[in-house]
Amino acid sequence: QVQLVESGGGLVQAGGSLRLSCAASGRTSSSAVVGWFRQAPGKEREFVGISWTGGGTLYADSVKGRFTISRDNAKNTVLLQMNSLKPEDTAVYYCAVQRRAGTRPIDFNSWGQGTQVTVSS
């Protein structure tokens, strides 16, 4: 079982940047396929992006070109670099382990506790 802990959230002005970290621990953490999601108040949890162990990534259209996912395998960490942030990016951001193919929340488990990102206008 993989355990995930997110960090790096905070308050930033529109146009600014933040980098979130997802630290993984557990027996299979280095081989885990990790996805990022976010959930704004009153909205459903939505897919942000995913990182495969071979280095491939996939992003939601809403963040493509602004967000980048990378892996630091030596530290068992998956990073989410967020640039050109917009107020609509405000949400709690979560990382999770993919348990089956797909990008829906139900396709993931081992959710972290989440980290708040607030973008002011």
Side-chain angles (χ1 to χ4, degrees), residues 52-69:
W52 285 282
T53 53
T57 54
L58 175 70
Y59 300 97
D61 287 343
S62 59
V63 306
K64 197 174 297 181
R66 300 188 297 122
F67 291 12
T68 303
I69 298 174

Side-chain angles (χ1 to χ4, degrees), residues 81-102:
Q81 178 68 42
M82 305 185 296
N83 298 328
S84 302
L85 283 162
K86 306 175 182 179
E88 51 263 44
D89 294 318
T90 295
V92 177
Y93 283 70
Y94 300 89
C95 57
V97 175
Q98 189 185 46
R99 65 183 182 96
R100 66 186 190 191

Side-chain angles (χ1 to χ4, degrees), residues 5-116:
V5 177
E6 303 95 337
S7 62
L11 174 64
V12 64
Q13 289 188 332
S17 299
L18 278 176
R19 188 175 73 171
L20 306 184
S21 295
C22 175
S25 62
R27 294 178 60 184
T28 58
S29 58
S30 62
S31 62
V33 177
V34 176
W36 284 96
F37 289 78
R38 64 187 182 186
Q39 188 166 18
K43 295 188 177 181
E44 294 187 353
R45 193 166 296 189
E46 66 172 356
F47 172 76
V48 172
I50 190 171
S51 168
W52 285 282
T53 53
T57 54
L58 175 70
Y59 300 97
D61 287 343
S62 59
V63 306
K64 197 174 297 181
R66 300 188 297 122
F67 291 12
T68 303
I69 298 174
S70 60
R71 302 177 73 110
D72 184 338
N73 291 326
K75 297 182 178 179
N76 280 346
T77 299
V78 178
L79 304 172
L80 178 63
Q81 178 68 42
M82 305 185 296
N83 298 328
S84 302
L85 283 162
K86 306 175 182 179
E88 51 263 44
D89 294 318
T90 295
V92 177
Y93 283 70
Y94 300 89
C95 57
V97 175
Q98 189 185 46
R99 65 183 182 96
R100 66 186 190 191
T103 58
R104 302 168 301 168
I106 198 172
D107 299 319
F108 291 76
N109 61 10
S110 301
W111 293 86
Q113 83 287 352
T115 185
Q116 176 71 45

